[in-house]
Amino acid sequence: MSPVSLNYGNLLQPRLGSDAAKALDPERLAPGGELDARFQAALERVREGRRSGELGFLDLPDDQRLARQVQEVADSFGQWFHTLVVVGIGGSSLGGRAIAEALLDRHWNEASDEARDHFPRLHFLENADPDSTAALLRQVDLRGALFNVVSKSGGTAETMAQYLIIEDRLREALGDEGVRGHLLFTTDPERGALRRLALEREIPALPVPQNVGGRFSVLSPVGLLPAATTGVDVGELLAGAAEMRARCLRDDLRRNPAGLLSVLLHAADTELDCPVHVFMPYSDRLRALALWFQQLWGESLGKAPTAGPTPLAALGAVDQHSLLQLLMEGPRDKVVIFVRVGRRDEPLELPATHAEHPELAYLGGHTLDELLDTELRATTEALRRRGRPSLTLQVERLDARSLGGLFMLLQVTTVMAGAHYGVDPLNQPGVELGKVLTSGLLGREGVEPPEMAADDEKWTV
Ligand code: PA5
């Protein structure tokens, strides 16, 4: 069994029903079938992108030099500190968070030094929200803290603003030497303000390869540095990604998980009228992965007013008590991508007490793991019986290898889906206008102060 596999029967006839408007005919996936033809074109697009160097994320698992560089910084510089604070937003934060939540103890920061094996505590400072920034800076002892400022462009307003505050606090508390000794940048190898600052002030800086964009950078120093610094086996993450890449480059659609996932999700949107793609792991440890996927899918594919999916991050079983009613009986515009985790280290047995109360008695003798998994199976079946499509990503065991595989699978799927939708999954032109307006309003040199629609009290209550 592979560390990560895809079960897609619940999107197909006859499992989901025989109505062609609601379920896909599996014959279309066969060699020469229509969905196979779409896949072959997308696969060629991926191969071409790899050959030309445009899809740099595909080669990250082989970049031993970069992985060694990260590990060396993590093992030396990183271990001088008791706290690592990763400062970044979007693709410069979500991948690192997904790794940390999946692989570190859930109470990592509250655990004793011994329980953490003396690896540092880890925080992510993502939003330019004064409440969370002030609270974190109040709590962290600056003398033992390393701030990893992550920005591919080296100029993102939120991250630069956090940096200005942190630099100031460090200088105040520890002087100029303190500033340099407590900062580590992760940024473009040549361009941007962070790179210039690194050179001017001799601040250590790791490179994000130029052909690796923000939301595709989890397996670059962006995600690897916090992982390696907290003791995650980076080699395993990359090995899992390399194994998955080989599977995602197979010619045979029915043996290619990224090919299947991309053609099926695209067809769910364009043929079954299911543009809402709900990513729903049944594991608290994969909640941040769902947020990472939401960004990857939304920012990569949301580029045409009349086409493109809307991702939605959810969590099983919690959202059975929030979203499930909508999934079962609301508009038929959703496909759910479940993530099912196999073997867990501590399944937690449920004591067989309270035989007199049927609501409790039937649970006794099972495990919490079994309950969660049974709920997933039951929800999948309930959706199927209502003719509502779903897919299941099965993770045999949640570890660095399978997580590396999931990252690679979802990134290749996104690039292939870009080909199906006819959009460039690597850019994000739509976010530019908001950035320009913000910098103009804040008085950035060279940017015209924009004219804004007047606030109209008539429309305010
Ligand atoms: O995927 C992307 O490119 C974006 O989400 C970026 O990661 C995000 O805007 C942060 O950019 P940067 O890393 O340049 O600070």
Side-chain angles (χ1 to χ4, degrees), residues 89-92 150-156 159 213-216 295 299 426 428 435:
I89 198 162
S92 286
V150 187
S151 175
K152 173 72 197 299
S153 62
T156 298
T159 308
R215 56 193 174 275
F216 293 88
Q295 187 222 10
E299 202 168 5
L426 305 181
Q428 53 284 327
K435 284 189 194 173

Side-chain angles (χ1 to χ4, degrees), residues 181-302:
H182 290 251
L183 287 170
L184 168 64
F185 294 163
T186 304
T187 190
D188 188 275
E190 289 170 16
R191 293 192 283 249
L194 272 191
R195 181 55 64 182
R196 288 198 297 279
L197 274 170
L199 292 171
E200 284 162 21
R201 309 260 168 105
E202 293 177 41
I203 294 167
L206 288 165
V208 188
Q210 256 160 2
N211 59 356
V212 173
R215 56 193 174 275
F216 293 88
S217 68
V218 58
L219 298 175
S220 80
V222 171
L224 296 188
L225 188 275
T229 307
T230 48
V232 169
D233 189 337
V234 158
E236 279 290 288
L237 267 174
L238 296 175
E243 273 166 22
M244 180 56 80
R245 180 185 56 197
R247 294 173 63 200
C248 294
L249 292 173
R250 286 175 182 159
D251 292 314
D252 180 349
L253 173 57
R254 287 175 300 185
R255 294 184 59 240
N256 184 320
L260 284 168
L261 197 53
S262 68
V263 291
L264 292 171
L265 287 174
H266 175 258
D269 174 6
T270 56
E271 298 180 35
L272 308 183
D273 289 330
C274 294
V276 180
H277 296 174
V278 184
F279 192 88
M280 190 166 179
Y282 271 60
S283 163
D284 285 349
R285 290 166 61 190
L286 292 178
R287 190 195 282 254
L289 180 82
L291 295 175
W292 173 84
F293 174 75
Q294 180 172 263
Q295 187 222 10
L296 182 69
W297 206 238
E299 202 168 5
S300 302
L301 303 176

Side-chain angles (χ1 to χ4, degrees), residues 19 47 51 70 74 109 123 128 133 146 150 158 162 223 230 235 247 255 277 283 303 313 336 340 343 358 364 435:
D19 181 350
R47 288 187 172 142
R51 271 193 298 271
V70 169
N109 287 340
H123 299 276
T133 306
L146 172 62
V150 187
E158 295 88 341
Q162 310 267 27
T230 48
R247 294 173 63 200
R255 294 184 59 240
H277 296 174
S283 163
K303 285 170 185 158
V336 185
R340 182 178 183 195
R343 283 174 295 140
K435 284 189 194 173

Side-chain angles (χ1 to χ4, degrees), residues 368-422:
L368 212 50
D369 183 25
E370 223 181 319
L371 171 63
L372 193 62
D373 193 53
T374 307
E375 294 205 35
L376 189 164
R377 286 172 43 225
T379 305
T380 310
E381 174 63 9
L383 287 170
R384 188 192 71 76
R385 289 186 186 188
R386 294 282 169 90
R388 297 191 175 231
S390 70
L391 296 150
T392 302
L393 285 169
Q394 168 82 33
V395 179
E396 272 311 292
R397 185 187 170 78
L398 184 50
D399 54 18
R401 208 172 188 93
S402 58
L403 187 65
L406 277 172
F407 284 134
M408 183 56 78
L409 167 60
L410 295 169
Q411 290 177 110
V412 179
T413 301
T414 303
V415 174
M416 288 184 173
H420 306 327
Y421 281 107

